[in-house]
Amino acid sequence: MQATRIVVIGAGAAGLVASRELERRGHDVTVLESRRAVGGRIRTHRFGSVQPGPLVELGAMRIPGAHERTMALIRELGLGSRLRPFLTLFSDDRTFVHTAVGHVQVRDAPPVLVQQLRSRLPAADHREDTVRFAAWLAASATATAPADFAHAMSDDVLRELLTFVDGIDVRPYLGTRWSGGVDLNTFFTDHSRAAMQHGGRLLSFFADMAAETSLPLSRLTGGMDQIAHRLAAGLRGDILVGHEVVGIDVHARGVRLIVRNGAEVTVMECDAVVCTVPFSVLRHIALRGLHPDKLELIHDMAYWPGTKIALLCREPFWQRDGIMGGASFTGGVVRQTYYPPVEHDPVHGAALLASYSIGTDAQVLDDMDPATRTSVVLDELSAIHPQLSRPGMVREVVTRSWGQDRWSHGAAAARWGKDPGTCEDERLLAARPEGRLLFAGEHCSSYPAWIEGAVESAREVVRHIRLPAAARAGRIG
Ligand SMILES: Cc1cc2nc3c(=O)[nH]c(=O)nc-3n(C[C@H](O)[C@H](O)[C@H](O)COP(=O)(O)OP(=O)(O)OC[C@H]3O[C@@H](n4cnc5c(N)ncnc54)[C@H](O)[C@@H]3O)c2cc1C
């Protein structure tokens, strides 16, 4: 496909990376973004106006070391010196994990988790190492998977897993991070082929989970939104914020867009369009000229809700308990609680990511009115952090429900649990161009729910667009 002037819909990671790559190849790009700001699902919330001050990531917050495109992008943008280790679930042994006997600190968890597993599968006769490994894996899965995925860790899957693990020397993966901990990510990297042969069911479930709890993970000091801001600042073309695309018509010569900016509605005729709008939003836009199978996928693609509730606390009280970062698996409706680093004068308070949930767990919180939601979260979290009940400890509460967000209608495309072949078929169809309408975004990638996916899809989409001969000869516009 040849084009010079290209419109990109969406100024999230995919739209901004695609725009950057297209401009590098000599195209003129205009970005249309419905929100008033760039970044999409990369959203850093800053409490107060003092900088540096307390901040919390309401969207993307960590980058797995294996996500090479994202790491390379960060370095290209001059942000490499701002990368810091991201401490996650089970990273800090003073954080808490929810078990059958209540909340225990991670350092005390291994025997409890092993006992929990043995009581689930009393007849199972496996090596001690195998049981310890599987106990940790089951705990990680319970902590990261939404409740409707609990069945993925059914007794059948556990038995399958134990048998699989029995055939492997798991000692190199045990105890590398703290006594009792398990290096899940290295294990899945080393044994993905075997796990695949053993059953795609195991692999599809564990791959994402391993990425979430794997080390190294990185964060950006000063906020993940620097990625979007640096990308935006580097573009030559316009980024028109507050411009919502409400209609897309694919025809023989290009693509017609209906764009609303406040009360004003305009029609734009475009050589080519790169659409990074999540399908959960796209299905509410008037679409013409697309093939029925594509329309079907746009309407049917599953999305997970995802909700984060953050608190501005008077002080980082958790540090007095020895928690210097990482996350607790709190169970209940709170699910995961993260302790962001305090890299500013603590007089301005400290941010606590009180609750991070996805899927049905997020839906439970979304269905509550804001006051009930706040009190439920505070009550639940006070069981492990009684300091939260002290007068004046919580100064501010901020909630971001991505499921209820008009421009996302979900946190991420949900391919978890599908077999690898089905995932790839869905990806190919999602990314398939329709005439001069091209598609990018995490939902079109092999890393859904990650920035890596947005970047991968953006790099992929620009390969479909070539400059016409005149432009290659330097005669563009
Ligand atoms: C809670 C949460 C936690 C996450 N954690 C991580 C993490 O730790 N690490 C990680 O790598 N990834 C994480 N992700 C995923 C990551 O944020 C996304 O995969 C990535 O940012 C998606 O980028 P995108 O460009 O595909 O989509 P988006 O960022 O959604 O960009 C699409 C853009 O299109 C705009 N738009 C929508 N409709 C229209 C319209 N009609 N007209 C014009 N513009 C429109 C939107 O406003 C948006 O800006 C997380 C996501 C969430 C929600």
Side-chain angles (χ1 to χ4, degrees):
M1 179 190 302
Q2 296 190 339
T4 52
R5 290 191 185 78
I6 299 166
V7 170
V8 173
I9 314 176
L16 293 171
V17 171
S19 303
R20 171 185 162 97
E21 299 289 326
L22 288 165
E23 285 193 347
R24 281 179 167 177
R25 286 164 170 74
H27 299 284
D28 291 336
V29 178
T30 302
V31 183
L32 303 176
E33 168 55 54
S34 52
R35 299 179 207 263
R36 294 275 157 200
V38 301
R41 281 169 277 171
I42 300 177
R43 170 77 63 101
T44 307
H45 178 82
R46 294 178 175 80
F47 289 102
S49 52
V50 178
Q51 292 307 320
L55 61 79
V56 65
E57 302 295 351
L58 296 178
M61 60 182 174
R62 68 291 205 226
I63 309 135
H67 287 188
E68 288 167 7
R69 297 173 188 83
T70 312
M71 295 298 274
L73 176 70
I74 285 172
R75 295 200 171 93
E76 274 172 42
L77 293 170
L79 292 168
S81 64
R82 303 194 142 231
L83 286 167
R84 301 282 185 279
F86 178 93
L87 299 183
T88 189
L89 288 160
F90 313 120
S91 297
D92 182 308
D93 68 3
R94 300 288 184 113
T95 57
F96 292 87
V97 54
H98 185 255
T99 70
V101 297
H103 291 109
V104 296
Q105 285 188 304
V106 164
R107 58 183 174 172
D108 303 323
V112 180
L113 297 175
V114 165
Q115 179 53 35
Q116 200 168 296
L117 186 85
R118 284 201 187 283
S119 59
R120 257 181 89 175
L121 303 175
D125 179 23
H126 296 283
R127 289 194 336 242
E128 189 57 38
D129 282 351
T130 299
V131 176
R132 197 171 134 210
F133 182 90
W136 208 260
L137 185 56
S140 303
T142 314
T144 51
D148 51 338
F149 249 79
H151 71 271
M153 255 299 161
S154 66
D155 290 355
D156 279 353
V157 171
L158 268 180
R159 272 190 209 96
E160 195 181 337
L161 177 77
L162 285 161
T163 310
F164 171 59
V165 173
D166 251 346
I168 292 168
D169 179 6
V170 291
R171 280 171 301 177
Y173 311 102
L174 290 170
T176 48
R177 281 157 56 188
W178 65 87
S179 60
V182 168
D183 185 352
L184 294 177
N185 197 49
T186 310
F187 175 81
F188 284 112
T189 307
D190 292 352
H191 298 285
S192 62
R193 195 180 292 269
M196 179 91 84
Q197 280 161 4
H198 196 75
R201 189 159 73 123
L202 269 182
L203 190 73
S204 66
F205 174 65
F206 293 128
D208 218 37
M209 192 205 78
E212 235 180 287
T213 53
S214 68
L215 296 180
L217 290 166
S218 298
R219 64 183 174 90
L220 269 185
T221 180
M224 292 286 281
D225 62 354
Q226 294 169 97
I227 299 174
H229 292 151
R230 288 267 168 113
L231 280 167
L235 294 182
R236 289 194 307 273
D238 290 331
I239 301 176
L240 305 177
V241 295
H243 283 62
E244 176 193 8
V245 173
V246 293
I248 302 178
D249 180 2
V250 180
H251 56 82
R253 293 171 313 287
V255 182
R256 185 175 303 120
L257 297 180
I258 317 295
V259 184
R260 187 159 57 203
N261 174 21
E264 193 186 333
V265 175
T266 48
V267 175
M268 287 177 81
E269 293 293 348
C270 316
D271 284 344
V273 170
V274 175
C275 176
T276 70
V277 174
F279 283 3
S280 47
V281 177
L282 196 60
R283 64 183 65 138
H284 301 293
I285 292 177
L287 303 173
R288 287 182 56 186
L290 277 70
H291 286 93
D293 57 348
K294 183 75 161 216
L295 285 172
E296 196 180 324
L297 182 62
I298 291 170
H299 283 90
D300 293 348
M301 187 180 273
Y303 274 78
W304 267 330
T307 296
K308 286 189 173 182
I309 299 164
L311 311 177
L312 175 63
C313 297
R314 187 176 59 208
E315 63 197 29
F317 58 81
W318 52 92
Q319 292 186 350
R320 288 185 203 272
D321 295 339
I323 298 176
M324 302 316 285
S328 289
F329 166 52
T330 36
V333 297
V334 163
R335 300 294 295 168
Q336 299 178 6
T337 300
Y338 286 80
Y339 309 91
V342 181
E343 296 172 315
H344 53 273
D345 185 343
V347 75
H348 303 302
L352 177 68
L353 179 50
S355 171
Y356 175 26
S357 57
I358 57 169
T360 43
D361 300 329
Q363 196 60 55
V364 169
L365 287 165
D366 289 356
D367 289 343
M368 295 177 189
D369 66 77
T372 310
R373 188 166 50 214
T374 301
S375 82
V376 165
V377 167
L378 287 178
D379 283 355
E380 205 177 276
L381 203 47
S382 297
I384 53 174
H385 294 306
Q387 299 94 326
L388 278 169
S389 322
R390 288 185 194 153
M393 180 57 83
V394 177
R395 291 180 176 169
E396 219 179 305
V397 181
V398 56
T399 298
R400 162 115 331 233
S401 157
W402 292 96
Q404 294 181 339
D405 182 297
R406 186 175 165 198
W407 311 119
S408 298
H409 283 309
R415 266 184 224 139
W416 220 11
K418 293 183 186 166
D419 68 78
T422 309
C423 289
E424 181 59 4
D425 289 347
E426 188 172 299
R427 184 191 74 78
L428 288 171
L429 180 55
R432 191 187 72 195
E434 295 282 315
R436 286 166 171 260
L437 176 65
L438 299 106
F439 296 87
E442 54 93 17
H443 53 288
C444 299
S445 77
S446 43
Y447 298 88
W450 293 98
I451 295 173
E452 184 76 355
V455 179
E456 180 203 70
S457 70
R459 298 253 159 87
E460 186 65 26
V461 81
V462 299
R463 299 222 307 248
H464 290 283
I465 306 175
R466 284 185 294 114
L467 279 176
R472 281 201 303 274
R475 286 183 276 123
I476 330 175

